[in-house]
Amino acid sequence: MQNDNGKYIIIIGVFISIIGVIWYFFGDKLHWIGHLPGDIQVKRDGFSFYFPITTMIIFSIIINVILRVFRG
C-alpha cells in the first residue's frame, strides 16, 4: 500500500513539472487562462475580487479525464 502512495506522489510531481515547463516556454501564449467568459472579476476603489470559476471547471474536467484514462 505504501508503494502505491509513493508512486502517486512521483506521478503528481512529474505532472506538475510538465505543467511548469509548458508554462515557462509557452506562458506568453497562455494569457487567456484565467480570463475566460464566466470568470468573476470585481474591481473597485481599494478592493478587487477575482474568482476564475470557468477556468477551474475546465481544469477540473481535464484532470478528471486524464485520471480516468490512466486508471483504466
Side-chain angles (χ1 to χ4, degrees):
M1 187 68 172
Q2 287 185 350
N3 290 339
D4 290 340
N5 290 339
K7 182 171 60 171
Y8 292 137
I9 291 172
I10 290 172
I11 290 170
I12 290 170
V14 169
F15 184 70
I16 290 173
S17 297
I18 290 170
I19 290 173
V21 168
I22 290 170
W23 199 276
Y24 180 78
F25 287 110
F26 301 107
D28 56 338
K29 294 174 180 59
L30 300 174
H31 60 84
W32 55 270
I33 294 177
H35 300 288
L36 296 173
D39 290 342
I40 299 169
Q41 186 173 14
V42 177
K43 290 184 182 179
R44 297 195 177 141
D45 294 333
F47 176 76
S48 64
F49 177 76
Y50 181 66
F51 189 64
I53 191 159
T54 305
T55 303
M56 289 190 303
I57 290 171
I58 289 173
F59 281 157
S60 176
I61 291 170
I62 290 170
I63 291 170
N64 191 2
V65 167
I66 290 170
L67 288 176
R68 286 181 183 260
V69 166
F70 283 119
R71 283 203 168 175

